[in-house]
Amino acid sequence: MRVLLVPPTHHYKSPEPLSLSDFPSGFAYLAASLKGYEVIGFSPNNIKGYPSSKIMLQAELSKKIQETQPDLIGFGGLCTDYAFLKDAIAITRSATKSPIALGGQIVTNDAQFIYQDLKPDYAIIGEADEVITALADELPEPGILRASIIKDLNNLPFPDYEAFGVRDMLDNYSMSTRLLYRYSRPYPRPFNIVASRSCPFQCTFCIHGHRDIPYRSRSVENIMEEIRIMYERYEFNILIILDELFAVKKDRMTAFCNAVLEGKEKYKWDFDWMFQTHASARFDIESLKLAKQAGCFFFSYGLESASPKVLQSMKKRIAVEDVVKAMEMAQEAKIGFGANLIFGDPAETAETWAESLSFWLQHCQRNFVFLSTLMPYPGSALFDSRFKDKKYYYEHIDETAINMTSIPDKTLTGLLNLTTYLEKSWLFVKEAKARVELESGKMFKLYAICPYCGEESLYRQEIQDISKPYMFGVGCTHCHSRIKVELNGMV
């Protein structure tokens, strides 16, 4: 059995695919589960030379299928990958009669509609690690398949990235990834790890609290073994813990930090790392200083709003004062702090909107707290019963804001325009004094002095036209405060 696995293209509707550092971890777990079969990976990111992603996919996917003649083809993704998956399945149907399996959140959260609309042979609900192997063993009648919950994540094989061009991404595309993921090293090699699955909370805008997939975490020992193997294999220098909720309790973070320190001593590991968590973890300054010592340069909370009224509507189960305390401790520990404020919950009013913006102006300019709009995605409580024409929704997903509030549309448009301007301009972020040097081609070295700690940091950035004004938003590599560098034709 020859299995072709095809992760989605990032930003498929954009003119070109965009390389990100979050490698296809879910597909890499499937590849590892399929040991004993011939696994072929096709990662369409970073393929250049086409006028659009759609034209690239048509040419390259068809070519890959003809070259490899797979017996089973696996796709998957999020609801925002709908356009990619629709085109990829159509291209596949025209190139081969081999069966198609479709999984990921887009199926798990809306299986009946997606199965009937995209028409794969198999739609897999839940974690497909075991189901994909069963399909490779014996193909049943087409239909919707429900995966069993994997209770012990320690029993899973470590993900296998080799088929997806991970070395090429690390060697040639690390500078294309999100700046927040790579700023701590001027020559970054960011890598991912998944330490847990799902989430125990029930936020109304999120998918995790509204399905029967419990939160499970891997042991620290199991995580360290994967880090040891992957570090030797790929020599990464930035580790991104992808979990939406890495450390629910302070004790787990402490154990992880001590294990990383031990590994750095024993195996000479040299990497920075970052993670996401919830305010209920209630870290203290000692645990954050330990994380800093172990190489942590950034962590984020799920904030979403600074209005108690909206937080209650979202079922966030956090207090704003706990987030402020975490910000203060992060600053003392010299670790970057991140969060999002998302506007547009049904309880949102012009007053609660102003409440969150006021909080942002008062507390967040030194921190990486970003402003965006709440989107109701399939699987969340906000999505249920709101959308009758699902096909139109999927085809136009994320194109415009959806007004779920009682705010009049005209007023909402003004609030959205203001919030977008504040987010894009970094208007209230302190500017760092900088000098610029040409490295080669369009790659420049920027030496910036932090306005907070006074230390100089080196950044590398590709700038298309240095003669034009350019704003570079980044974090200090010493105190990890949010800063900006503005260039006005300086070389």
Side-chain angles (χ1 to χ4, degrees):
M1 171 71 73
R2 183 178 294 147
V3 183
L4 174 62
L5 298 177
V6 185
T9 298
H10 302 299
H11 299 259
Y12 180 66
K13 292 183 179 181
S14 298
E16 290 188 63
L18 175 66
S19 168
L20 296 181
S21 66
D22 40 350
F23 305 144
S25 296
F27 284 85
Y29 270 103
L30 299 184
S33 296
L34 286 164
K35 288 296 185 186
Y37 298 94
E38 184 178 351
V39 179
I40 305 157
F42 172 66
S43 185
N45 286 287
N46 308 322
I47 299 176
K48 307 299 182 182
Y50 290 94
S52 72
S53 298
K54 186 170 184 175
I55 294 173
M56 176 277 298
L57 186 65
Q58 174 69 58
E60 297 292 337
L61 180 56
S62 300
K63 178 182 176 182
K64 192 72 173 182
I65 291 172
Q66 292 302 322
E67 288 177 346
T68 60
Q69 295 294 307
D71 302 299
L72 175 66
I73 302 172
F75 296 103
L78 305 173
C79 57
T80 49
D81 295 313
Y82 175 85
F84 168 85
L85 294 170
K86 179 182 177 182
D87 289 346
I89 289 174
I91 292 166
T92 302
R93 291 294 189 207
S94 66
T96 181
K97 294 182 179 180
S98 297
I100 296 171
L102 175 63
Q105 303 289 3
I106 192 169
V107 173
T108 299
N109 298 321
D110 201 3
Q112 289 292 340
F113 173 80
I114 292 299
Y115 181 66
Q116 293 170 6
D117 184 67
L118 296 185
K119 297 179 173 58
D121 296 281
Y122 306 101
I124 303 172
I125 299 174
E127 298 164 344
D129 307 71
E130 296 173 347
V131 174
I132 195 71
T133 305
L135 283 176
D137 287 339
E138 183 178 355
L139 294 172
E141 288 295 313
I144 297 175
L145 309 175
R146 183 177 293 274
S148 299
I149 293 171
I150 299 170
K151 296 180 180 180
D152 189 351
L153 301 183
N154 292 332
N155 292 333
L156 289 174
F158 296 146
D160 181 358
Y161 291 98
E162 285 297 305
F164 304 102
V166 61
R167 295 180 190 274
D168 183 50
M169 288 187 72
L170 282 165
D171 293 342
N172 300 311
Y173 292 97
S174 287
M175 287 298 295
S176 298
T177 193
R178 302 171 189 177
L179 191 141
L180 185 60
Y181 283 1
R182 63 172 169 82
Y183 80 83
S184 71
R185 300 282 178 127
Y187 295 88
R189 291 177 63 84
F191 192 79
N192 291 343
I193 195 169
V194 177
S196 64
R197 293 186 180 183
S198 197
C199 178
F201 297 101
Q202 296 182 326
C203 303
T204 57
F205 56 84
C206 186
I207 60 174
H208 290 300
H210 308 282
R211 61 188 193 189
D212 298 325
I213 301 180
Y215 176 76
R216 292 137 297 147
S217 59
R218 297 165 55 190
S219 69
V220 171
E221 293 78 13
N222 186 252
I223 297 168
M224 290 302 120
E225 180 62 10
E226 182 181 348
I227 290 175
R228 183 189 67 79
I229 292 171
M230 298 301 179
Y231 186 83
E232 290 179 3
R233 187 174 297 167
Y234 299 118
E235 299 180 324
F236 58 83
N237 57 19
I238 298 172
L239 181 66
I240 303 158
I241 301 174
L242 281 182
D243 310 23
E244 293 178 74
L245 188 65
F246 168 57
V248 184
K249 296 181 179 180
K250 181 179 67 175
D251 292 349
R252 177 170 169 81
M253 230 261 291
T254 299
F256 179 85
C257 292
N258 285 327
V260 169
L261 286 169
E262 182 180 340
K264 290 190 172 189
E265 176 68 26
K266 185 175 181 180
Y267 302 112
K268 309 304 178 186
W269 293 343
D270 177 22
F271 61 82
D272 306 326
W273 53 279
M274 60 186 299
F275 69 96
Q276 303 177 73
T277 190
H278 190 274
S280 63
R282 297 190 181 278
F283 299 135
D284 53 29
I285 188 59
E286 287 75 21
S287 61
L288 286 181
K289 285 183 176 179
L290 177 64
K292 174 73 173 183
Q293 182 185 354
C296 178
F297 73 99
F298 183 88
F299 74 100
S300 62
Y301 272 4
L303 173 56
E304 321 326 343
S305 176
S307 164
K309 176 183 176 181
V310 174
L311 288 173
Q312 183 178 11
S313 173
M314 291 177 168
K315 298 184 179 179
K316 276 299 300 179
R317 293 169 57 185
I318 66 170
V320 175
E321 53 267 27
D322 290 338
V323 178
V324 174
K325 185 177 180 181
M327 291 177 176
E328 293 170 347
M329 288 191 298
Q331 183 177 325
E332 183 180 346
K334 296 184 178 180
I335 297 177
F337 178 89
N340 292 310
L341 287 169
I342 51 176
F343 298 86
D345 180 84
E348 196 87 73
T349 63
E351 290 72 27
T352 62
W353 202 299
E355 195 174 4
S356 287
L357 285 181
S358 176
F359 174 89
W360 181 76
L361 289 167
Q362 182 179 357
H363 296 289
C364 301
Q365 294 314 300
R366 190 169 176 171
N367 300 298
F368 290 85
V369 179
F370 301 108
L371 310 176
S372 60
T373 306
L374 189 152
M375 295 299 294
Y377 290 131
S380 70
L382 289 180
F383 185 86
D384 294 346
S385 78
R386 285 185 181 271
F387 299 95
K388 304 302 181 185
D389 189 347
K390 282 191 177 182
K391 190 171 185 65
Y392 180 87
Y393 169 85
Y394 278 103
E395 288 177 343
H396 299 277
I397 196 166
D398 280 350
E399 289 181 3
T400 58
I402 297 171
N403 190 355
M404 298 180 290
T405 75
S406 59
I407 302 172
D409 288 346
K410 186 175 181 179
T411 303
L412 183 71
T413 299
L415 290 171
L416 288 170
N417 289 339
L418 170 64
T419 304
T420 299
Y421 173 75
L422 291 173
E423 171 58 34
K424 290 184 176 180
S425 67
W426 285 40
L427 185 64
F428 299 101
V429 178
K430 284 191 176 183
E431 184 176 350
K433 294 181 180 180
R435 56 189 176 89
V436 185
E437 293 179 358
L438 176 64
E439 180 176 273
S440 63
K442 295 183 179 181
M443 183 65 69
F444 290 83
K445 291 182 177 180
L446 293 81
Y447 298 87
I449 298 175
C450 177
Y452 294 103
C453 70
E455 296 288 340
E456 185 178 75
S457 297
L458 167 62
Y459 309 102
R460 296 169 63 248
Q461 182 70 3
E462 186 174 290
I463 304 174
Q464 294 300 316
D465 189 350
I466 194 68
S467 67
K468 295 180 180 179
Y470 179 81
M471 193 276 283
F472 181 76
V474 72
C476 170
T477 62
H478 300 278
C479 69
H480 295 281
S481 297
R482 187 184 190 188
I483 59 176
K484 65 181 177 183
V485 177
E486 294 197 73
L487 307 178
N488 294 291
M490 299 180 297
V491 180

